[in-house]
Amino acid sequence: MYPHILFALTLALLAAEVPAMECARAGNFAEKAICSDPVLTRLDTALNQNYRWMLDADIGKGARDALKHSQRIWVIQRNRCSDRECLMTLYKQRIEDICDYPVIGGVHPVCDEPDVSAGIPHPD
């Protein structure tokens, strides 16, 4: 196999959807649900990616600080969820909120907004 094809395949495998958190340390309902539910994993991955892209964008120091602060508050809120529907709602809203941050200069990041409407059935 050609080295550049092997490299591309390796990158694709590394980019597979995995939760932003370390699942071995999952301690509350939200973290355990994200680690065990493919749809929640997909939302967590998209949110983490969009958050990082927005932090790297030219949004200004004030907006960057506000984004970091609002993310800490959001995680506290997320960790208070006690069912899947709460998590789904919070993730969808947070992805939308992050993607709506205005960019001062340059190109606005293209956000990953996964279509979970068809979704993967929730494991019972």
Side-chain angles (χ1 to χ4, degrees):
M1 193 175 275
Y2 295 101
H4 63 283
I5 294 173
L6 183 58
F7 180 73
L9 288 173
T10 302
L11 285 179
L13 290 173
L14 291 174
E17 291 175 354
V18 294
M21 71 188 72
E22 194 174 321
C23 288
R25 295 183 181 192
N28 59 42
F29 169 81
E31 293 169 346
K32 290 175 183 176
I34 293 161
C35 289
S36 65
D37 185 316
V39 173
L40 291 173
T41 297
R42 185 180 315 148
L43 289 168
D44 187 65
T45 301
L47 176 64
N48 186 52
Q49 184 175 46
N50 294 343
Y51 175 73
R52 291 177 185 279
W53 284 341
M54 198 54 72
L55 284 177
D56 289 341
D58 184 9
I59 61 175
K61 183 182 177 347
R64 188 169 288 104
D65 291 346
L67 179 60
K68 289 177 183 178
H69 177 73
S70 67
Q71 185 70 7
R72 286 190 296 272
I73 299 298
W74 181 85
V75 169
I76 291 168
Q77 211 178 6
R78 180 205 68 190
N79 288 346
R80 290 183 181 149
C81 283
S82 59
D83 61 47
R84 184 176 189 260
E85 188 60 37
C86 174
L87 291 168
M88 294 283 291
T89 300
L90 284 179
Y91 267 96
K92 288 176 186 178
Q93 183 61 52
R94 184 64 181 162
I95 287 171
E96 188 176 310
D97 292 346
I98 287 175
C99 292
D100 286 344
Y101 261 76
V103 173
I104 295 172
V107 177
H108 193 286
V110 176
C111 285
D112 180 10
E113 298 187 50
D115 177 15
V116 293
S117 57
I120 299 169
H122 180 264
D124 293 321

